[in-house]
Amino acid sequence: MGRKIYVGADGGGTKTAICALGCLPGNQVFSCQGASMNYNVIGVEKAAVHFAEAMSRLPMARGMEIAAVAIGDPSIDDLVPSPLTGQFLNRVRQLVPPLSMCPIYVASDVYMTLYGMTGGEPGAIMVSGTGSMGLAQDPKGRLHVVAGWGRLIEGEGSGYFIASRGLRAALRYYEGTGPKTVLLEEMKRYFGIQDPRDFVLRYYADSTAFPDVAGFAKVVGDAAGQDEEAKKILLECGDILVTGMCTLLQKAGLTDCKVGVYGSVLLENSLVRKVFERGVLEAWPRVTIMVPKLKPEAAALQYSMEKEGV
């Protein structure tokens, strides 16, 4: 029998990251990336194809046998099963024959990140990137979730939320119904338009060819140092994340645990991060706020091995 290899995957909204560990001898580590596998957005078939393409890029040595795979799935929230998950896994097994017989463990990408920090012990995490979601695991192993509702209702506390509020502030200024803000000119520059009305015409005509709306969050963040409206948006985002985490800790009955922060908004925006840490620590002074050391795909890899008793 060939050597066993364990695989962990993080299927983010914009890319899929995979890492694998070939157990003794040598404990070789392999990694690769692929396109998004969020089947709630791009559909089951396209997501499965993207995952299969990413798996095909793993530079595994000959004679290796895949023992188990764990996937951090961006399309689920751990509380309500999705019928699409089964469809996705069935299609993946068809497209990647080595996975036809091996176990595939699936949990949300947020859970995998939390697991990488706590190893399955009680704790909580708040993720704010393109989207946002908070997750806590209580002492009995039960999971509690806040946010994760998606962009259709602004994804409160997320990059999409910041971008959406920034665009709203820009358009209000344009109309004369809101305060002056540099975000109007930033909006025109970012989206390559001359008149704000062009935003509606171009975006709704072909949103796939239009610049990423959530990406405008960074523009709002960069403007906050000189623009009061942009600063208000970031402060509001931070307050939303504080409320979410405090709610999670209360639901889970946690007073002394690790609290993880992850995602581009919390990791790259110093004002949002400052508001979050200050607000959470004021309410829950015994928690320890940290950035998970393991990347989500590495956490998923660790999860696959733990499930197999390795």
Side-chain angles (χ1 to χ4, degrees):
M1 180 181 295
R3 289 166 51 199
K4 300 284 187 180
I5 186 168
Y6 296 84
V7 178
D10 173 50
T14 56
K15 66 180 177 65
T16 295
I18 296 178
C19 69
L21 176 67
C23 289
L24 297 175
N27 290 330
Q28 292 172 280
V29 178
F30 312 95
S31 63
C32 65
Q33 287 191 353
S36 170
M37 49 166 269
N38 189 333
Y39 43 81
N40 284 343
V41 176
I42 64 175
V44 167
E45 179 64 22
K46 196 170 184 179
V49 168
H50 286 175
F51 182 77
E53 289 174 346
M55 285 292 295
S56 71
R57 298 188 183 106
L58 272 180
M60 298 183 297
R62 291 182 179 179
M64 285 187 170
E65 172 190 351
I66 297 179
V69 176
I71 299 174
D73 189 337
S75 308
I76 59 177
D77 69 3
D78 298 305
L79 297 187
V80 180
S82 169
L84 296 180
T85 306
Q87 297 175 30
F88 169 74
L89 293 179
N90 287 338
R91 188 65 180 125
V92 163
R93 291 183 188 278
Q94 293 171 357
L95 293 171
V96 188
L99 303 185
S100 61
M101 298 299 292
C102 82
I104 303 178
Y105 302 102
V106 180
S108 74
D109 53 343
V110 177
Y111 177 78
M112 289 300 185
T113 307
L114 174 63
Y115 176 85
M117 182 181 73
T118 65
E121 295 298 314
I125 191 167
M126 181 62 71
V127 177
S128 175
T130 300
S132 64
M133 184 174 170
L135 180 70
Q137 184 167 1
D138 68 24
K140 294 184 179 180
R142 295 173 299 196
L143 298 178
H144 307 268
V145 175
V146 296
W149 300 112
R151 64 183 180 183
L152 292 181
I153 54 173
E154 275 195 333
E156 283 199 321
S158 68
Y160 194 90
F161 169 84
I162 293 172
S164 177
R165 291 299 174 95
L167 292 172
R168 186 182 305 177
L171 295 176
R172 283 179 173 169
Y173 173 48
Y174 168 76
E175 293 176 328
T177 59
K180 182 178 181 180
T181 174
V182 301
L183 294 176
L184 176 59
E185 290 305 315
E186 294 295 344
M187 169 192 175
K188 290 158 66 175
R189 184 179 300 110
Y190 181 82
F191 291 103
I193 55 179
Q194 296 299 317
D195 189 303
R197 286 290 173 187
D198 292 339
F199 178 85
V200 177
L201 296 174
R202 291 182 57 193
Y203 181 74
Y204 289 102
D206 185 7
S207 60
T208 60
F210 210 56
D212 174 34
V213 170
F216 189 65
K218 187 177 187 308
V219 178
V220 177
D222 291 342
Q226 60 176 320
D227 187 87
E228 191 61 29
E229 293 306 299
K231 182 178 179 180
K232 286 179 182 178
I233 293 168
L234 298 185
L235 293 174
E236 182 182 9
C237 179
D239 286 340
I240 288 169
L241 297 176
V242 169
T243 299
M245 179 51 68
C246 290
T247 300
L248 274 178
L249 294 172
Q250 184 174 19
K251 284 183 176 182
L254 300 175
T255 58
D256 185 359
C257 69
K258 295 176 180 177
V259 170
V261 291
Y262 205 74
S264 58
V265 172
L266 277 169
L267 296 185
E268 298 173 14
N269 191 294
S270 60
L271 180 55
V272 175
R273 175 77 168 272
K274 181 179 179 180
V275 171
F276 178 79
E277 292 192 353
R278 182 177 60 206
V280 171
L281 290 173
E282 283 179 356
W284 303 87
R286 293 171 58 189
V287 303
T288 302
I289 299 177
M290 63 178 62
V291 177
K293 293 181 179 179
L294 283 183
K295 292 182 178 180
E297 63 270 25
L301 170 61
Q302 180 176 294
Y303 186 81
S304 74
M305 298 179 71
E306 188 272 334
K307 282 291 187 180
E308 292 296 295
V310 178

